[in-house]
Amino acid sequence: MHREGHIGAASLAYAPVGFVIFVVEFEGAAMAGAVGAGLLAMVPDYDQRVPGITHRGITHTVWFAALVGIALGLIGLAIGSSDGILAAIGLGVFGLLVGTVTILSHIAADALTPMGVEPFAPVRDDHYSYDVARAANPIANYGLLALGIAASGVALVVGNALTNI
């Protein structure tokens, strides 16, 4: 998929996380997570800019998703540490979720293409391709973007309604 599709997939995947964070009245964190998901959506495709790394190789695996999640979790832990252990743990878990969910959404979106992905490489060589649309298909990319925006909007509206009851 292209940028629009990946941002849409990240928004779609993050919407339930953002909803929960919003409902427990951490609205700022919920919004920051949505922005973070959008910014991280294309990280796996940076493999195209690094010599010696195969496109849709290691950066398109669950291991890379875990690595990004752990890195963001540690950053969240460090940021929250000045506000006490609960804040540190909360921000750490939140960072872990945002990072992992966003990278997994990228992998899932690429699995929709004929090229597919091998998300468990090099441990297993299972190949996943649902062959729904080519990566450059504008209808698929903008459709995913619209779906992600809609899911985020629903999460925001319903979350806001629930917090005002």
Side-chain angles (χ1 to χ4, degrees):
M1 302 309 280
H2 286 187
R3 180 175 308 279
E4 297 82 8
H6 284 303
I7 291 172
S11 298
L12 180 62
Y14 174 75
V17 175
F19 170 78
V20 170
I21 301 301
F22 192 89
V23 168
V24 295
E25 299 191 5
F26 291 104
E27 296 90 353
M31 297 301 173
V35 171
L39 292 172
L40 289 172
M42 292 301 293
V43 166
D45 281 345
Y46 292 165
D47 61 5
Q48 297 177 77
R49 299 177 182 172
V50 180
I53 295 183
T54 307
H55 180 51
R56 293 195 186 181
I58 193 68
T59 62
H60 287 68
T61 65
V62 296
W63 323 118
F64 184 72
L67 179 68
V68 171
I70 289 167
L72 286 180
L74 290 173
I75 291 168
L77 192 66
I79 291 170
S81 65
S82 63
D83 292 327
I85 190 72
L86 288 179
I89 291 170
L91 280 175
V93 169
F94 181 61
L96 176 76
L97 279 172
V98 171
T100 305
V101 165
T102 301
I103 303 305
L104 290 175
S105 76
H106 185 105
I107 296 166
D110 279 348
L112 298 173
T113 68
M115 185 177 173
V117 291
E118 292 182 0
F120 303 106
V123 176
R124 291 182 19 198
D125 61 355
D126 300 349
H127 184 83
Y128 296 91
S129 171
Y130 298 104
D131 201 4
V132 173
R134 297 210 174 275
N137 184 319
I139 295 170
N141 280 290
Y142 284 103
L144 262 178
L145 180 60
L147 194 58
I149 291 169
S152 297
V154 167
L156 181 62
V157 169
V158 173
N160 193 41
L162 288 175
T163 57
N164 290 321
I165 291 178

